[in-house]
Amino acid sequence: EISEHNSLKSFGLFQKLSAILPHNNYLEVAAWYQVKNKEIPMPMGSYGESLQAQSDSSLKVFAKWKKLFLKTSLEFKMGYNSDFLRYVDKKPGIDGEYIIDSEISTQQGYFDVNSRFFHFRNLTFDVGGNLTLIGANITSYNEPINEYRVNIIASAKYQLNQFRFLGSVRQNFNPF
């Protein structure tokens, strides 16, 4: 027996570019996009017509710039993620009317800065911070939900022959 209403259509694209620029600058950019549309068949052993379907899409973008100095490096990173999902179930015989019409979308932005200092032969220091912005929109909620997170980070590494000593401090600033 052939399963009806069971198609899957998927499309994806990924691209990454890296460049070594003059004066010890490095740049990296990437993007990823995917879309899926799936018809959901009736469960095995069930009778009737299924009109359930689910659509998903994802977008992810990333950029990084790094600059090397004589005994220091500086790095900036940025990323963005967006996901969307829609699930529908129609009433058989009635065009356009849904029993279920559920949408979920999420977004996330990420920003990071880090500087590394290696002025001494066996000692390295890192100082940096990041900001994360998160949002979600769900049809059953009355309004979008948003939050943010901020972190400040400092760390040190000391190398003595084959031994490494690591230490770090991190402070989180979250509104919840």
Side-chain angles (χ1 to χ4, degrees):
E1 179 178 328
I2 296 175
S3 181
E4 299 290 327
H5 193 77
N6 194 22
S7 72
L8 171 65
K9 296 175 184 163
S10 182
F11 168 80
L13 174 69
F14 177 77
Q15 187 66 47
K16 180 180 175 185
L17 302 170
S18 298
I20 298 173
L21 303 172
H23 309 292
N24 291 327
N25 287 287
Y26 301 87
L27 182 65
E28 188 175 326
V29 179
W32 181 77
Y33 181 65
Q34 185 163 4
V35 177
K36 291 182 188 176
N37 293 305
K38 170 76 173 138
E39 293 177 339
I40 301 170
M42 292 294 289
M44 211 160 142
S46 299
Y47 298 99
E49 181 182 8
S50 173
L51 298 174
Q52 300 171 44
Q54 181 171 317
S55 301
D56 301 296
S57 65
S58 292
L59 172 67
K60 299 178 185 341
V61 179
F62 170 80
K64 177 172 89 171
W65 171 78
K66 186 173 186 175
K67 168 76 174 172
L68 295 178
F69 300 96
L70 186 60
K71 293 187 175 188
T72 309
S73 69
L74 181 62
E75 183 175 84
F76 290 97
K77 292 184 268 188
M78 186 235 26
Y80 175 76
N81 298 333
S82 176
D83 292 298
F84 177 79
L85 178 141
R86 183 176 185 205
Y87 173 81
V88 294
D89 191 3
K90 293 182 181 180
K91 288 184 177 182
I94 301 174
D95 192 30
E97 190 172 335
Y98 296 109
I99 299 169
I100 299 171
D101 188 356
S102 177
E103 290 184 2
I104 299 171
S105 66
T106 62
Q107 300 81 36
Q108 181 176 7
Y110 181 80
F111 307 92
D112 183 277
V113 61
N114 187 65
S115 188
R116 177 165 288 169
F117 306 93
F118 34 95
H119 292 279
F120 307 103
R121 184 173 170 224
N122 298 335
L123 187 60
T124 305
F125 294 103
D126 279 80
V127 177
N130 59 51
L131 167 66
T132 304
L133 305 168
I134 303 168
N137 193 1
I138 301 169
T139 51
S140 60
Y141 292 1
N142 292 331
E143 60 187 44
I145 306 239
N146 297 299
E147 66 180 54
Y148 67 91
R149 297 178 186 148
V150 177
N151 299 293
I152 297 174
I153 304 144
S155 64
K157 177 178 85 170
Y158 180 70
Q159 180 97 24
L160 181 62
N161 298 323
Q162 70 268 21
F163 298 102
R164 283 188 197 159
F165 301 94
L166 305 170
S168 65
V169 177
R170 179 185 192 114
Q171 177 63 52
N172 298 323
F173 300 96
N174 299 331
F176 47 92

PDB file of all heavy atoms in Angstrom, residues 93-125:
ATOM      1  N   GLY A  93     -12.311  18.254   3.704  1.00  0.00           N
ATOM      2  CA  GLY A  93     -13.489  18.711   2.983  1.00  0.00           C
ATOM      3  C   GLY A  93     -13.765  20.197   3.108  1.00  0.00           C
ATOM      4  O   GLY A  93     -14.632  20.716   2.423  1.00  0.00           O
ATOM      5  N   ILE A  94     -13.090  20.900   3.981  1.00  0.00           N
ATOM      6  CA  ILE A  94     -13.296  22.344   4.133  1.00  0.00           C
ATOM      7  C   ILE A  94     -11.984  23.031   3.784  1.00  0.00           C
ATOM      8  O   ILE A  94     -10.996  22.897   4.493  1.00  0.00           O
ATOM      9  CB  ILE A  94     -13.733  22.712   5.567  1.00  0.00           C
ATOM     10  CG1 ILE A  94     -15.032  21.979   5.914  1.00  0.00           C
ATOM     11  CG2 ILE A  94     -13.911  24.223   5.698  1.00  0.00           C
ATOM     12  CD1 ILE A  94     -15.458  22.163   7.355  1.00  0.00           C
ATOM     13  N   ASP A  95     -11.983  23.763   2.698  1.00  0.00           N
ATOM     14  CA  ASP A  95     -10.756  24.376   2.219  1.00  0.00           C
ATOM     15  C   ASP A  95     -10.393  25.604   3.057  1.00  0.00           C
ATOM     16  O   ASP A  95     -11.214  26.487   3.273  1.00  0.00           O
ATOM     17  CB  ASP A  95     -10.920  24.780   0.750  1.00  0.00           C
ATOM     18  CG  ASP A  95      -9.605  25.159   0.111  1.00  0.00           C
ATOM     19  OD1 ASP A  95      -8.573  24.616   0.540  1.00  0.00           O
ATOM     20  OD2 ASP A  95      -9.624  25.985  -0.808  1.00  0.00           O
ATOM     21  N   GLY A  96      -9.149  25.628   3.554  1.00  0.00           N
ATOM     22  CA  GLY A  96      -8.638  26.806   4.231  1.00  0.00           C
ATOM     23  C   GLY A  96      -8.897  26.895   5.720  1.00  0.00           C
ATOM     24  O   GLY A  96      -8.379  27.785   6.361  1.00  0.00           O
ATOM     25  N   GLU A  97      -9.709  26.024   6.313  1.00  0.00           N
ATOM     26  CA  GLU A  97      -9.975  26.109   7.752  1.00  0.00           C
ATOM     27  C   GLU A  97      -9.080  25.111   8.491  1.00  0.00           C
ATOM     28  O   GLU A  97      -8.995  23.942   8.139  1.00  0.00           O
ATOM     29  CB  GLU A  97     -11.441  25.787   8.043  1.00  0.00           C
ATOM     30  CG  GLU A  97     -11.836  26.101   9.468  1.00  0.00           C
ATOM     31  CD  GLU A  97     -13.337  25.977   9.705  1.00  0.00           C
ATOM     32  OE1 GLU A  97     -14.113  26.111   8.739  1.00  0.00           O
ATOM     33  OE2 GLU A  97     -13.716  25.729  10.840  1.00  0.00           O
ATOM     34  N   TYR A  98      -8.411  25.588   9.534  1.00  0.00           N
ATOM     35  CA  TYR A  98      -7.467  24.770  10.278  1.00  0.00           C
ATOM     36  C   TYR A  98      -8.028  24.351  11.628  1.00  0.00           C
ATOM     37  O   TYR A  98      -8.650  25.145  12.327  1.00  0.00           O
ATOM     38  CB  TYR A  98      -6.163  25.532  10.530  1.00  0.00           C
ATOM     39  CG  TYR A  98      -5.399  25.877   9.279  1.00  0.00           C
ATOM     40  CD1 TYR A  98      -5.322  27.183   8.831  1.00  0.00           C
ATOM     41  CD2 TYR A  98      -4.741  24.884   8.561  1.00  0.00           C
ATOM     42  CE1 TYR A  98      -4.613  27.493   7.684  1.00  0.00           C
ATOM     43  CE2 TYR A  98      -4.018  25.194   7.420  1.00  0.00           C
ATOM     44  CZ  TYR A  98      -3.963  26.498   6.984  1.00  0.00           C
ATOM     45  OH  TYR A  98      -3.252  26.805   5.849  1.00  0.00           O
ATOM     46  N   ILE A  99      -7.770  23.095  11.990  1.00  0.00           N
ATOM     47  CA  ILE A  99      -8.028  22.637  13.355  1.00  0.00           C
ATOM     48  C   ILE A  99      -6.892  23.145  14.244  1.00  0.00           C
ATOM     49  O   ILE A  99      -7.115  23.633  15.346  1.00  0.00           O
ATOM     50  CB  ILE A  99      -8.072  21.090  13.421  1.00  0.00           C
ATOM     51  CG1 ILE A  99      -9.176  20.549  12.541  1.00  0.00           C
ATOM     52  CG2 ILE A  99      -8.226  20.619  14.854  1.00  0.00           C
ATOM     53  CD1 ILE A  99      -9.114  19.040  12.354  1.00  0.00           C
ATOM     54  N   ILE A 100      -5.674  23.037  13.729  1.00  0.00           N
ATOM     55  CA  ILE A 100      -4.477  23.504  14.436  1.00  0.00           C
ATOM     56  C   ILE A 100      -3.662  24.357  13.468  1.00  0.00           C
ATOM     57  O   ILE A 100      -3.447  23.973  12.319  1.00  0.00           O
ATOM     58  CB  ILE A 100      -3.606  22.323  14.921  1.00  0.00           C
ATOM     59  CG1 ILE A 100      -4.376  21.445  15.897  1.00  0.00           C
ATOM     60  CG2 ILE A 100      -2.315  22.828  15.556  1.00  0.00           C
ATOM     61  CD1 ILE A 100      -3.667  20.160  16.245  1.00  0.00           C
ATOM     62  N   ASP A 101      -3.221  25.510  13.946  1.00  0.00           N
ATOM     63  CA  ASP A 101      -2.322  26.383  13.193  1.00  0.00           C
ATOM     64  C   ASP A 101      -1.350  26.975  14.201  1.00  0.00           C
ATOM     65  O   ASP A 101      -1.637  27.969  14.849  1.00  0.00           O
ATOM     66  CB  ASP A 101      -3.097  27.473  12.465  1.00  0.00           C
ATOM     67  CG  ASP A 101      -2.206  28.262  11.515  1.00  0.00           C
ATOM     68  OD1 ASP A 101      -0.988  28.009  11.478  1.00  0.00           O
ATOM     69  OD2 ASP A 101      -2.741  29.142  10.815  1.00  0.00           O
ATOM     70  N   SER A 102      -0.209  26.341  14.367  1.00  0.00           N
ATOM     71  CA  SER A 102       0.745  26.711  15.405  1.00  0.00           C
ATOM     72  C   SER A 102       2.048  27.180  14.780  1.00  0.00           C
ATOM     73  O   SER A 102       2.611  26.506  13.929  1.00  0.00           O
ATOM     74  CB  SER A 102       1.005  25.497  16.298  1.00  0.00           C
ATOM     75  OG  SER A 102       1.968  25.792  17.263  1.00  0.00           O
ATOM     76  N   GLU A 103       2.528  28.354  15.220  1.00  0.00           N
ATOM     77  CA  GLU A 103       3.786  28.898  14.740  1.00  0.00           C
ATOM     78  C   GLU A 103       4.715  29.179  15.908  1.00  0.00           C
ATOM     79  O   GLU A 103       4.280  29.657  16.951  1.00  0.00           O
ATOM     80  CB  GLU A 103       3.567  30.206  13.978  1.00  0.00           C
ATOM     81  CG  GLU A 103       2.882  30.030  12.655  1.00  0.00           C
ATOM     82  CD  GLU A 103       2.773  31.337  11.887  1.00  0.00           C
ATOM     83  OE1 GLU A 103       3.275  32.377  12.373  1.00  0.00           O
ATOM     84  OE2 GLU A 103       2.189  31.324  10.804  1.00  0.00           O
ATOM     85  N   ILE A 104       5.982  28.869  15.709  1.00  0.00           N
ATOM     86  CA  ILE A 104       7.022  29.161  16.690  1.00  0.00           C
ATOM     87  C   ILE A 104       8.195  29.774  15.919  1.00  0.00           C
ATOM     88  O   ILE A 104       8.640  29.199  14.930  1.00  0.00           O
ATOM     89  CB  ILE A 104       7.503  27.890  17.426  1.00  0.00           C
ATOM     90  CG1 ILE A 104       6.360  27.247  18.193  1.00  0.00           C
ATOM     91  CG2 ILE A 104       8.668  28.213  18.348  1.00  0.00           C
ATOM     92  CD1 ILE A 104       6.700  25.876  18.767  1.00  0.00           C
ATOM     93  N   SER A 105       8.655  30.928  16.391  1.00  0.00           N
ATOM     94  CA  SER A 105       9.854  31.511  15.785  1.00  0.00           C
ATOM     95  C   SER A 105      10.791  31.956  16.901  1.00  0.00           C
ATOM     96  O   SER A 105      10.352  32.430  17.947  1.00  0.00           O
ATOM     97  CB  SER A 105       9.510  32.685  14.870  1.00  0.00           C
ATOM     98  OG  SER A 105       8.980  33.756  15.608  1.00  0.00           O
ATOM     99  N   THR A 106      12.075  31.755  16.669  1.00  0.00           N
ATOM    100  CA  THR A 106      13.088  32.166  17.634  1.00  0.00           C
ATOM    101  C   THR A 106      14.193  32.914  16.894  1.00  0.00           C
ATOM    102  O   THR A 106      14.457  32.642  15.720  1.00  0.00           O
ATOM    103  CB  THR A 106      13.699  30.974  18.385  1.00  0.00           C
ATOM    104  OG1 THR A 106      14.357  30.116  17.454  1.00  0.00           O
ATOM    105  CG2 THR A 106      12.641  30.200  19.145  1.00  0.00           C
ATOM    106  N   GLN A 107      14.800  33.849  17.611  1.00  0.00           N
ATOM    107  CA  GLN A 107      15.931  34.595  17.083  1.00  0.00           C
ATOM    108  C   GLN A 107      16.973  34.700  18.189  1.00  0.00           C
ATOM    109  O   GLN A 107      16.627  34.792  19.364  1.00  0.00           O
ATOM    110  CB  GLN A 107      15.544  36.022  16.663  1.00  0.00           C
ATOM    111  CG  GLN A 107      14.486  36.098  15.587  1.00  0.00           C
ATOM    112  CD  GLN A 107      13.095  35.924  16.124  1.00  0.00           C
ATOM    113  OE1 GLN A 107      12.788  36.369  17.203  1.00  0.00           O
ATOM    114  NE2 GLN A 107      12.251  35.255  15.363  1.00  0.00           N
ATOM    115  N   GLN A 108      18.240  34.703  17.788  1.00  0.00           N
ATOM    116  CA  GLN A 108      19.321  34.869  18.750  1.00  0.00           C
ATOM    117  C   GLN A 108      20.444  35.648  18.083  1.00  0.00           C
ATOM    118  O   GLN A 108      20.874  35.318  16.982  1.00  0.00           O
ATOM    119  CB  GLN A 108      19.841  33.521  19.228  1.00  0.00           C
ATOM    120  CG  GLN A 108      20.947  33.635  20.251  1.00  0.00           C
ATOM    121  CD  GLN A 108      21.384  32.288  20.783  1.00  0.00           C
ATOM    122  OE1 GLN A 108      20.959  31.237  20.315  1.00  0.00           O
ATOM    123  NE2 GLN A 108      22.253  32.305  21.761  1.00  0.00           N
ATOM    124  N   GLY A 109      20.886  36.697  18.761  1.00  0.00           N
ATOM    125  CA  GLY A 109      22.038  37.473  18.316  1.00  0.00           C
ATOM    126  C   GLY A 109      23.163  37.308  19.324  1.00  0.00           C
ATOM    127  O   GLY A 109      22.917  37.279  20.531  1.00  0.00           O
ATOM    128  N   TYR A 110      24.381  37.192  18.837  1.00  0.00           N
ATOM    129  CA  TYR A 110      25.531  36.943  19.705  1.00  0.00           C
ATOM    130  C   TYR A 110      26.664  37.872  19.294  1.00  0.00           C
ATOM    131  O   TYR A 110      27.009  37.952  18.113  1.00  0.00           O
ATOM    132  CB  TYR A 110      25.966  35.481  19.564  1.00  0.00           C
ATOM    133  CG  TYR A 110      27.135  35.099  20.428  1.00  0.00           C
ATOM    134  CD1 TYR A 110      26.965  34.803  21.776  1.00  0.00           C
ATOM    135  CD2 TYR A 110      28.419  35.043  19.907  1.00  0.00           C
ATOM    136  CE1 TYR A 110      28.039  34.452  22.572  1.00  0.00           C
ATOM    137  CE2 TYR A 110      29.497  34.684  20.696  1.00  0.00           C
ATOM    138  CZ  TYR A 110      29.295  34.395  22.032  1.00  0.00           C
ATOM    139  OH  TYR A 110      30.355  34.052  22.823  1.00  0.00           O
ATOM    140  N   PHE A 111      27.225  38.586  20.274  1.00  0.00           N
ATOM    141  CA  PHE A 111      28.336  39.503  20.025  1.00  0.00           C
ATOM    142  C   PHE A 111      29.429  39.206  21.039  1.00  0.00           C
ATOM    143  O   PHE A 111      29.146  39.056  22.218  1.00  0.00           O
ATOM    144  CB  PHE A 111      27.858  40.955  20.169  1.00  0.00           C
ATOM    145  CG  PHE A 111      26.660  41.256  19.320  1.00  0.00           C
ATOM    146  CD1 PHE A 111      25.380  41.121  19.832  1.00  0.00           C
ATOM    147  CD2 PHE A 111      26.813  41.655  18.007  1.00  0.00           C
ATOM    148  CE1 PHE A 111      24.270  41.380  19.049  1.00  0.00           C
ATOM    149  CE2 PHE A 111      25.712  41.909  17.213  1.00  0.00           C
ATOM    150  CZ  PHE A 111      24.435  41.772  17.740  1.00  0.00           C
ATOM    151  N   ASP A 112      30.675  39.133  20.580  1.00  0.00           N
ATOM    152  CA  ASP A 112      31.775  38.738  21.450  1.00  0.00           C
ATOM    153  C   ASP A 112      33.014  39.556  21.095  1.00  0.00           C
ATOM    154  O   ASP A 112      33.302  39.769  19.919  1.00  0.00           O
ATOM    155  CB  ASP A 112      32.048  37.242  21.247  1.00  0.00           C
ATOM    156  CG  ASP A 112      33.126  36.714  22.154  1.00  0.00           C
ATOM    157  OD1 ASP A 112      34.317  36.858  21.819  1.00  0.00           O
ATOM    158  OD2 ASP A 112      32.775  36.152  23.199  1.00  0.00           O
ATOM    159  N   VAL A 113      33.735  39.994  22.119  1.00  0.00           N
ATOM    160  CA  VAL A 113      35.015  40.663  21.926  1.00  0.00           C
ATOM    161  C   VAL A 113      36.016  40.023  22.887  1.00  0.00           C
ATOM    162  O   VAL A 113      35.669  39.714  24.026  1.00  0.00           O
ATOM    163  CB  VAL A 113      34.914  42.191  22.129  1.00  0.00           C
ATOM    164  CG1 VAL A 113      34.475  42.543  23.533  1.00  0.00           C
ATOM    165  CG2 VAL A 113      36.226  42.866  21.792  1.00  0.00           C
ATOM    166  N   ASN A 114      37.234  39.792  22.395  1.00  0.00           N
ATOM    167  CA  ASN A 114      38.255  39.161  23.227  1.00  0.00           C
ATOM    168  C   ASN A 114      39.624  39.711  22.834  1.00  0.00           C
ATOM    169  O   ASN A 114      39.916  39.900  21.658  1.00  0.00           O
ATOM    170  CB  ASN A 114      38.246  37.643  23.029  1.00  0.00           C
ATOM    171  CG  ASN A 114      39.174  36.950  23.994  1.00  0.00           C
ATOM    172  OD1 ASN A 114      38.958  36.976  25.192  1.00  0.00           O
ATOM    173  ND2 ASN A 114      40.223  36.342  23.465  1.00  0.00           N
ATOM    174  N   SER A 115      40.431  39.953  23.854  1.00  0.00           N
ATOM    175  CA  SER A 115      41.800  40.391  23.614  1.00  0.00           C
ATOM    176  C   SER A 115      42.744  39.467  24.381  1.00  0.00           C
ATOM    177  O   SER A 115      42.476  39.122  25.532  1.00  0.00           O
ATOM    178  CB  SER A 115      41.987  41.839  24.081  1.00  0.00           C
ATOM    179  OG  SER A 115      43.256  42.303  23.685  1.00  0.00           O
ATOM    180  N   ARG A 116      43.801  39.070  23.727  1.00  0.00           N
ATOM    181  CA  ARG A 116      44.794  38.173  24.341  1.00  0.00           C
ATOM    182  C   ARG A 116      46.132  38.905  24.402  1.00  0.00           C
ATOM    183  O   ARG A 116      46.577  39.504  23.429  1.00  0.00           O
ATOM    184  CB  ARG A 116      44.929  36.897  23.519  1.00  0.00           C
ATOM    185  CG  ARG A 116      46.001  35.957  24.051  1.00  0.00           C
ATOM    186  CD  ARG A 116      45.866  34.582  23.470  1.00  0.00           C
ATOM    187  NE  ARG A 116      44.697  33.965  24.077  1.00  0.00           N
ATOM    188  CZ  ARG A 116      44.154  32.825  23.645  1.00  0.00           C
ATOM    189  NH1 ARG A 116      44.678  32.186  22.626  1.00  0.00           N
ATOM    190  NH2 ARG A 116      43.095  32.341  24.243  1.00  0.00           N
ATOM    191  N   PHE A 117      46.743  38.813  25.573  1.00  0.00           N
ATOM    192  CA  PHE A 117      48.032  39.459  25.809  1.00  0.00           C
ATOM    193  C   PHE A 117      49.064  38.374  26.112  1.00  0.00           C
ATOM    194  O   PHE A 117      48.887  37.597  27.039  1.00  0.00           O
ATOM    195  CB  PHE A 117      47.941  40.422  27.001  1.00  0.00           C
ATOM    196  CG  PHE A 117      46.835  41.430  26.865  1.00  0.00           C
ATOM    197  CD1 PHE A 117      45.582  41.183  27.401  1.00  0.00           C
ATOM    198  CD2 PHE A 117      47.060  42.624  26.193  1.00  0.00           C
ATOM    199  CE1 PHE A 117      44.560  42.109  27.274  1.00  0.00           C
ATOM    200  CE2 PHE A 117      46.042  43.551  26.063  1.00  0.00           C
ATOM    201  CZ  PHE A 117      44.793  43.303  26.598  1.00  0.00           C
ATOM    202  N   PHE A 118      50.119  38.330  25.325  1.00  0.00           N
ATOM    203  CA  PHE A 118      51.183  37.353  25.573  1.00  0.00           C
ATOM    204  C   PHE A 118      52.524  38.090  25.575  1.00  0.00           C
ATOM    205  O   PHE A 118      53.415  37.820  24.792  1.00  0.00           O
ATOM    206  CB  PHE A 118      51.149  36.180  24.577  1.00  0.00           C
ATOM    207  CG  PHE A 118      50.712  36.522  23.194  1.00  0.00           C
ATOM    208  CD1 PHE A 118      51.629  36.808  22.208  1.00  0.00           C
ATOM    209  CD2 PHE A 118      49.361  36.562  22.877  1.00  0.00           C
ATOM    210  CE1 PHE A 118      51.225  37.125  20.925  1.00  0.00           C
ATOM    211  CE2 PHE A 118      48.948  36.880  21.599  1.00  0.00           C
ATOM    212  CZ  PHE A 118      49.885  37.163  20.620  1.00  0.00           C
ATOM    213  N   HIS A 119      52.641  39.019  26.531  1.00  0.00           N
ATOM    214  CA  HIS A 119      53.834  39.852  26.648  1.00  0.00           C
ATOM    215  C   HIS A 119      54.998  39.108  27.308  1.00  0.00           C
ATOM    216  O   HIS A 119      56.148  39.488  27.146  1.00  0.00           O
ATOM    217  CB  HIS A 119      53.516  41.127  27.435  1.00  0.00           C
ATOM    218  CG  HIS A 119      52.592  42.028  26.694  1.00  0.00           C
ATOM    219  ND1 HIS A 119      53.030  42.880  25.712  1.00  0.00           N
ATOM    220  CD2 HIS A 119      51.251  42.190  26.755  1.00  0.00           C
ATOM    221  CE1 HIS A 119      52.009  43.544  25.213  1.00  0.00           C
ATOM    222  NE2 HIS A 119      50.917  43.140  25.829  1.00  0.00           N
ATOM    223  N   PHE A 120      54.689  38.091  28.087  1.00  0.00           N
ATOM    224  CA  PHE A 120      55.730  37.331  28.766  1.00  0.00           C
ATOM    225  C   PHE A 120      55.806  35.945  28.129  1.00  0.00           C
ATOM    226  O   PHE A 120      54.826  35.422  27.612  1.00  0.00           O
ATOM    227  CB  PHE A 120      55.415  37.222  30.259  1.00  0.00           C
ATOM    228  CG  PHE A 120      55.170  38.565  30.894  1.00  0.00           C
ATOM    229  CD1 PHE A 120      53.880  38.966  31.186  1.00  0.00           C
ATOM    230  CD2 PHE A 120      56.223  39.419  31.169  1.00  0.00           C
ATOM    231  CE1 PHE A 120      53.643  40.205  31.742  1.00  0.00           C
ATOM    232  CE2 PHE A 120      55.990  40.660  31.726  1.00  0.00           C
ATOM    233  CZ  PHE A 120      54.700  41.061  32.014  1.00  0.00           C
ATOM    234  N   ARG A 121      56.961  35.334  28.216  1.00  0.00           N
ATOM    235  CA  ARG A 121      57.197  34.059  27.524  1.00  0.00           C
ATOM    236  C   ARG A 121      56.252  32.947  27.964  1.00  0.00           C
ATOM    237  O   ARG A 121      55.715  32.223  27.131  1.00  0.00           O
ATOM    238  CB  ARG A 121      58.652  33.641  27.772  1.00  0.00           C
ATOM    239  CG  ARG A 121      59.017  32.401  27.029  1.00  0.00           C
ATOM    240  CD  ARG A 121      60.490  32.115  27.161  1.00  0.00           C
ATOM    241  NE  ARG A 121      60.729  30.794  26.623  1.00  0.00           N
ATOM    242  CZ  ARG A 121      61.484  29.902  27.189  1.00  0.00           C
ATOM    243  NH1 ARG A 121      62.122  30.179  28.292  1.00  0.00           N
ATOM    244  NH2 ARG A 121      61.642  28.733  26.635  1.00  0.00           N
ATOM    245  N   ASN A 122      56.002  32.775  29.254  1.00  0.00           N
ATOM    246  CA  ASN A 122      55.197  31.663  29.757  1.00  0.00           C
ATOM    247  C   ASN A 122      53.823  32.079  30.269  1.00  0.00           C
ATOM    248  O   ASN A 122      53.104  31.258  30.813  1.00  0.00           O
ATOM    249  CB  ASN A 122      55.940  30.955  30.904  1.00  0.00           C
ATOM    250  CG  ASN A 122      57.243  30.357  30.450  1.00  0.00           C
ATOM    251  OD1 ASN A 122      57.406  30.050  29.273  1.00  0.00           O
ATOM    252  ND2 ASN A 122      58.173  30.197  31.359  1.00  0.00           N
ATOM    253  N   LEU A 123      53.450  33.342  30.109  1.00  0.00           N
ATOM    254  CA  LEU A 123      52.219  33.851  30.712  1.00  0.00           C
ATOM    255  C   LEU A 123      51.335  34.507  29.651  1.00  0.00           C
ATOM    256  O   LEU A 123      51.803  35.334  28.866  1.00  0.00           O
ATOM    257  CB  LEU A 123      52.573  34.863  31.804  1.00  0.00           C
ATOM    258  CG  LEU A 123      51.463  35.404  32.671  1.00  0.00           C
ATOM    259  CD1 LEU A 123      50.774  34.282  33.435  1.00  0.00           C
ATOM    260  CD2 LEU A 123      52.032  36.433  33.658  1.00  0.00           C
ATOM    261  N   THR A 124      50.074  34.118  29.635  1.00  0.00           N
ATOM    262  CA  THR A 124      49.099  34.667  28.698  1.00  0.00           C
ATOM    263  C   THR A 124      47.877  35.142  29.475  1.00  0.00           C
ATOM    264  O   THR A 124      47.394  34.446  30.372  1.00  0.00           O
ATOM    265  CB  THR A 124      48.656  33.589  27.686  1.00  0.00           C
ATOM    266  OG1 THR A 124      49.805  33.062  27.047  1.00  0.00           O
ATOM    267  CG2 THR A 124      47.715  34.144  26.659  1.00  0.00           C
ATOM    268  N   PHE A 125      47.358  36.330  29.120  1.00  0.00           N
ATOM    269  CA  PHE A 125      46.134  36.867  29.721  1.00  0.00           C
ATOM    270  C   PHE A 125      45.078  37.042  28.646  1.00  0.00           C
ATOM    271  O   PHE A 125      45.390  37.449  27.528  1.00  0.00           O
ATOM    272  CB  PHE A 125      46.386  38.244  30.361  1.00  0.00           C
ATOM    273  CG  PHE A 125      47.301  38.219  31.533  1.00  0.00           C
ATOM    274  CD1 PHE A 125      48.619  38.632  31.405  1.00  0.00           C
ATOM    275  CD2 PHE A 125      46.849  37.800  32.769  1.00  0.00           C
ATOM    276  CE1 PHE A 125      49.479  38.622  32.484  1.00  0.00           C
ATOM    277  CE2 PHE A 125      47.697  37.781  33.860  1.00  0.00           C
ATOM    278  CZ  PHE A 125      49.013  38.195  33.723  1.00  0.00           C
TER     279      PHE A 125
END
